[in-house]
Amino acid sequence: MRPISWKLQSYRNVLIPVPSAGPGVCTTCWREVERWPQCFQCNKHCDQARSLADVVTPIALAVKGGQFARELSLYKNGDNRAQATLFNGFATILEYFLRQHETCLASAAQAERFEVVAAVPSTRGRLSHPLHRMLSSNIGRTRARFVPALAPVPGFADRVFTPDRFQVCADVADRNVLLVDDTWTTGSHAQSACAALKDAGAARVGVLVLGRHFEPSTGTARDYLARARSQLFDWDRCCLGQSGRGRCA
Ligand SMILES: [Zn+2]
Ligand SMILES: [Zn+2]
């Protein structure tokens, strides 16, 4: 493992690794499944649209009530001081993860490289989403590629999948897009954004999320979480590399 900063080192105690692909893991969003390759939500999205994300990669699990889930909520909704600390922490996480694993995402999405980086915009009327700021100015590797490619269209209910909830306001035709979001809960927002980008002509779309929201409400989910927690977070591995679907540094 390459030397990493104290901040990244300390996050190893906060981040829970996403389990490898295989039986019991949704082939799209990496949550636990009982018998089917995909979870209920991902299967529903596939029934509703043909053009979805080519790959979804969560950096870590954000377990309900856990520290990472609390931080993901605070960074958007907390007071200014808390937001600034978490903002810097998340920028560091994203920058380092991309340095180590962007090639894994591109490979799994069958893209040579991502020419465009975009963020899933907030649908709650926030004018300047912190993720936009992070990707357009704080993170060196995304700064020149970031395009505010999506704008929310008001009037859609939360957690409903529809490409119409986003307007594409950039030329993405034949371009590979890395779409970043902070949290994946049902995936409806991110997949709506992917479908909108694909309808606008985007070639391949890879989704990167900081946290995959996880609520261990069933025995299967608790087993899955126990398996995930049994390994310490490793900055040199991502779920794609573990699964053989991509490659790791
Ligand atoms: Zn799923
Ligand atoms: Zn990787």
Side-chain angles (χ1 to χ4, degrees), residues 97 100-105 236-242 246-249:
F97 188 87
Q100 298 294 88
H101 304 291
E102 186 172 344
T103 49
C104 303
L105 262 93
D236 286 342
R237 305 296 299 271
C238 72
C239 55
L240 297 168
Q242 287 171 352
R247 51 183 181 215
C248 280

Side-chain angles (χ1 to χ4, degrees), residues 123-136:
T123 51
R124 295 199 179 154
R126 189 185 287 107
L127 284 175
S128 171
H129 194 291
L131 213 48
H132 284 211
R133 199 153 42 94
M134 213 180 274
L135 297 165
S136 63

Side-chain angles (χ1 to χ4, degrees), residues 25-33 37-43 45 184-186 191 212:
V25 179
C26 175
T27 52
T28 299
C29 76
W30 306 85
R31 68 166 293 167
E32 93 290 351
V33 285
Q38 278 184 314
C39 71
F40 172 76
Q41 287 290 350
C42 292
N43 190 254
H45 297 152
W184 177 290
T185 304
T186 63
Q191 290 287 31
R212 201 269 172 256

